[in-house]
């Protein structure tokens, strides 16, 4: 893992977890959320991070699992010991995307990902490109995917990360290491989600994420880059 602003690299040890073979599709989202709009096998997009969290809880209840998230006036807490569906952490997402590879892509980009090179106007049906060696489809290209983690709390406050690149993105942006993000209530026409599962008896810390680390990351140390103003100042 790395943090470009802090110029820091570190390793994360992951416990076993499960992750969706494909992103959540329009059809699956409609089934879970009771949406009667026309749906397809394309990734569902135009969802906020909060929408994604609500979907995870609804899908958990639908399948008889314990919901992972508690929500209180927009504040979301991950109950790490719960058995339900959840958003992957950034470390989980990157591990799943790379599937043992170390380069920016897990294969030839034109074979594995929908990008601007394909000149399509919307997300395409999942599973049409080649999977990675873990058997996961569309982790790169087609639609960005929300993760649990904060983007950079020192600069962007409560913005959450999305990863993977989308159908309209140039090749340089569709890489396993690329990080982008948005406000929890913000929707994007090329951002959806892929669900994960896995419970941990570790309190507010799991799979490369911890609430305490988020607090530390929200503190600004040292001189600021030119033109950069911390949130709240």
């Amino acid at each position: 893992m790395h943090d470009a602003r802090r110029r820091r690299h570190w390793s994360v040890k992951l416990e076993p977890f499960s992750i969706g073979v494909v992103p959540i599709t329009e059809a699956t989202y409609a089934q879970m959320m009771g949406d009667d709009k026309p749906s397809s096998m394309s990734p569902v997009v135009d969802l906020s991070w909060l929408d994604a969290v609500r979907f995870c809880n609804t899908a958990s209840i639908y399948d008889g699992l314990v919901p992972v998230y508690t929500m209180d006036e927009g504040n979301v807490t991950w109950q790490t010991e719960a058995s339900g569906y959840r958003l992957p952490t950034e470390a989980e997402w990157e591990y799943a995307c790379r599937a043992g590879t170390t380069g920016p892509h897990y294969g030839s980009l034109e074979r594995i990902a929908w990008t601007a090179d394909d000149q399509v106007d919307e997300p395409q049906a999942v599973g049409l490109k080649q999977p990675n060696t873990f058997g996961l489809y569309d982790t790169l290209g087609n639609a960005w995917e929300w993760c649990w983690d904060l983007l950079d709390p020192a600069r962007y406050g409560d913005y959450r990360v999305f990863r993977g690149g989308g159908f309209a993105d140039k090749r340089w942006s569709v890489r396993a290491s690329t990080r982008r993000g948005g406000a929890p209530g913000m929707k994007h026409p090329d951002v959806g989600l892929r669900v994960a599962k896995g419970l941990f008896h570790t309190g507010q810390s799991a799979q490369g994420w911890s609430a305490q680390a988020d607090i530390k990351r929200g503190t600004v140390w040292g001189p600021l880059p030119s033109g950069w103003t911390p949130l709240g100042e």
Side-chain angles (χ1 to χ4, degrees), residues 22-104:
V22 296
I24 296 299
T25 64
E26 289 184 347
T28 298
Y29 188 86
Q31 178 187 4
M32 293 293 134
M33 306 303 287
D35 191 340
D36 58 0
K37 295 179 181 178
S39 57
S40 72
M41 293 304 293
S42 299
V44 64
V45 292
D46 206 26
L47 299 180
S48 70
W49 183 84
L50 291 173
D51 289 334
V53 164
R54 294 185 188 101
F55 172 84
C56 290
N57 277 358
T58 300
S60 297
I61 294 169
Y62 184 91
D63 282 351
L65 303 172
V66 178
V68 165
Y69 301 115
T70 59
M71 304 181 69
D72 180 17
E73 297 182 354
N75 295 315
V76 180
T77 302
W78 175 10
Q79 307 298 325
T80 57
E81 296 186 6
S83 61
Y85 299 111
R86 57 180 178 80
L87 299 177
T89 67
E90 271 203 275
E92 288 176 328
W93 186 94
E94 189 163 331
Y95 175 82
C97 175
R98 290 186 180 278
T101 63
T102 57

Side-chain angles (χ1 to χ4, degrees), residues 159-182:
Y159 275 36
R160 299 285 175 163
V161 169
F162 46 79
R163 302 288 296 264
F167 66 91
D169 287 287
K170 302 291 187 182
R171 297 174 66 91
W172 60 265
S173 186
V174 184
R175 305 192 311 273
S177 61
T178 301
R179 305 174 73 241
R180 287 179 58 189

Side-chain angles (χ1 to χ4, degrees), residues 118-219:
D118 294 296
Q119 298 182 341
V120 295
D121 297 325
E122 59 187 11
Q124 303 296 295
V126 300
L128 297 181
K129 297 275 188 170
Q130 292 181 355
N132 65 17
T133 57
F134 286 169
L136 307 181
Y137 294 85
D138 298 289
T139 54
L140 291 179
N142 213 6
W144 295 85
E145 298 172 6
W146 285 113
C147 294
W148 166 251
D149 304 65
L150 293 169
L151 178 63
D152 184 344
R155 185 168 190 181
Y156 296 112
D158 61 359
Y159 275 36
R160 299 285 175 163
V161 169
F162 46 79
R163 302 288 296 264
F167 66 91
D169 287 287
K170 302 291 187 182
R171 297 174 66 91
W172 60 265
S173 186
V174 184
R175 305 192 311 273
S177 61
T178 301
R179 305 174 73 241
R180 287 179 58 189
M186 185 183 299
K187 298 183 179 183
H188 309 264
D190 58 354
V191 179
L193 77 153
R194 183 187 304 256
V195 296
K197 279 180 63 182
L199 56 86
F200 312 96
H201 302 284
T202 51
Q204 287 292 283
S205 176
Q207 303 293 77
W209 164 83
S210 80
Q212 185 176 12
D214 283 348
I215 293 172
K216 290 182 179 179
R217 289 174 61 222
T219 303

Side-chain angles (χ1 to χ4, degrees), residues 106-117:
Y106 49 82
S108 174
L109 201 58
E110 61 270 17
R111 294 178 180 270
I112 66 172
W114 295 101
T115 70
D117 288 353

